[in-house]
Amino acid sequence: MKKYIQSIVSFIFVFSMPFLLVEVTKAYNEPYNFLENPLVWVLILFFGLVVVFKEVLAVTAIKKAEKLQMEKDGVVPEKVDPWAAIKAIIQRWTNSKPIEQEGEIALDHNYDGIRELDNSLPPWWKYMFYASIVFAVVYLVRFEVLDGDNQIVEYEKAVAQAQAEINKFKKSSPDIIDLENVTLLTEASDLSRGKAVFNLNCASCHMADGGGSIGPNLTDENWILGGGIKNVFATVSNGGRDGKGMVAWKKILKPIDVQKVASYVLSLQGTTPAKAKAPQGEVWKEEAK
């Protein structure tokens, strides 16, 4: 009767514990954060320890029953090889002969007392060899006969698919600004924001009126890295010339702010700064579309 009671209690505990854990985890926003919710992990660990303890008892009971059965059958438990099953698997997959039976496969070849054994190939090696043949046939038919895509074509298709998904995402998210879809902003609110960003980050090198100081003059028609919204947007985002240009602002400014400051810079074209720096670069004219 005692065994039945223990089994019933064990079954109820193991059966109901997962439901309890589910209910507990549903009560927290981050149930698996140990620092905030240690109770969840205490219950999980307790449940795991109980299950492990139960399995250890079951294995111990099985071994004890097997030992009693062997003693009843007249088998000495100490003489039973616990690795017999594993050794049988190794023997089956290597097809090797025990040392006591090597005389059966010894060849007549004798080299200074060293004799050669006529061992057969292990089954695992033969199966792998057969599998490689099957793979080679499938590969030959797939890529040579049926003209399947090679690695380069697969890569190009994957890149094209990824680009298509990126373009689809950009269309569904109009707030994402990059070099492909950036446009010149002319609204007063956008230029006002661009001016604020310019005064905070750019005026120290280009002067507040864009006349230039450490950086070039932004009011003339000459550009070092090209004019127009796309070129200015790219220059602000990626920085100037290596080693002697401005830093890349894309890690500091949001793309929308880069667009606004680039639009503000272009709005300075034709103005008259107090101390204009000499032109640098080449005169840039936008190509007719």
Side-chain angles (χ1 to χ4, degrees):
M1 185 66 182
K2 185 177 180 181
K3 292 182 179 179
Y4 292 115
I5 294 176
Q6 290 178 347
S7 298
I8 293 172
V9 172
S10 176
F11 172 78
I12 293 175
F13 175 80
V14 175
F15 182 79
S16 61
M17 195 64 181
F19 295 97
L20 176 61
L21 287 173
V22 170
E23 291 299 323
V24 171
T25 54
K26 286 167 61 177
Y28 300 100
N29 293 328
E30 297 182 4
Y32 300 109
N33 188 325
F34 179 77
L35 296 178
E36 295 184 6
N37 309 305
L39 177 61
V40 175
W41 283 101
V42 170
L43 290 175
I44 292 174
L45 292 175
F46 178 71
F47 178 65
L49 289 174
V50 170
V51 173
V52 170
F53 181 69
K54 182 177 181 299
E55 291 302 317
V56 169
L57 290 179
V59 172
T60 303
I62 292 173
K63 288 186 176 180
K64 187 175 181 180
E66 290 177 348
K67 184 177 181 180
L68 292 174
Q69 185 62 40
M70 284 189 291
E71 291 177 353
K72 183 179 179 180
D73 296 339
V75 179
V76 181
E78 289 75 13
K79 294 184 178 180
V80 176
D81 188 0
W83 302 99
I86 297 177
K87 290 180 179 178
I89 294 174
I90 295 175
Q91 170 63 29
R92 189 179 304 115
W93 281 91
T94 58
N95 199 22
S96 60
K97 288 282 186 180
I99 297 178
E100 297 81 7
Q101 301 177 12
E102 284 185 349
E104 300 176 6
I105 57 174
L107 299 175
D108 295 334
H109 301 164
N110 191 320
Y111 303 96
D112 295 332
I114 301 175
R115 302 185 66 184
E116 183 180 356
L117 299 179
D118 187 19
N119 282 313
S120 58
L121 289 172
W124 66 265
W125 191 97
K126 290 189 290 186
Y127 295 151
M128 288 184 65
F129 179 68
Y130 298 150
S132 67
I133 294 175
V134 173
F135 176 83
V137 172
V138 174
Y139 187 92
L140 179 67
V141 174
R142 174 73 175 83
F143 294 101
E144 300 299 332
V145 178
L146 301 179
D147 195 23
D149 296 340
N150 57 27
Q151 293 177 334
I152 297 176
V153 175
E154 289 179 351
Y155 170 77
E156 292 175 347
K157 285 185 176 180
V159 171
Q161 181 181 357
Q163 188 60 50
E165 293 176 355
I166 292 173
N167 295 336
K168 182 179 179 181
F169 177 74
K170 288 180 179 179
K171 290 181 179 179
S172 62
S173 304
D175 294 336
I176 297 179
I177 307 298
D178 61 10
L179 191 60
E180 295 180 2
N181 63 3
V182 64
T183 57
L184 180 66
L185 302 176
T186 58
E187 294 291 335
S189 58
D190 295 328
L191 296 178
S192 177
R193 172 62 181 175
K195 181 179 180 180
V197 175
F198 181 89
N199 290 335
L200 181 63
N201 301 286
C202 313
S204 58
C205 293
H206 296 282
M207 302 300 289
D209 56 8
S213 176
I214 299 174
N217 185 351
L218 301 177
T219 64
D220 56 37
E221 297 181 345
N222 293 60
W223 294 90
I224 298 175
L225 297 175
I229 186 60
K230 291 186 180 296
N231 288 323
V232 176
F233 181 89
T235 302
V236 176
S237 297
N238 304 321
R241 295 164 294 174
D242 293 338
K244 50 185 176 181
M246 70 177 179
V247 299
W249 289 95
K250 61 184 177 183
K251 296 182 179 179
I252 302 173
L253 299 177
K254 296 179 180 179
I256 186 63
D257 282 338
V258 175
Q259 181 187 26
K260 291 178 179 180
V261 75
S263 298
Y264 173 73
V265 166
L266 291 173
S267 72
L268 296 175
Q269 291 283 285
T271 59
T272 306
K275 294 181 180 180
K277 190 176 180 180
Q280 294 175 271
E282 299 177 355
V283 176
W284 186 85
K285 296 292 184 182
E286 188 168 2
E287 297 180 358
K289 297 181 180 180

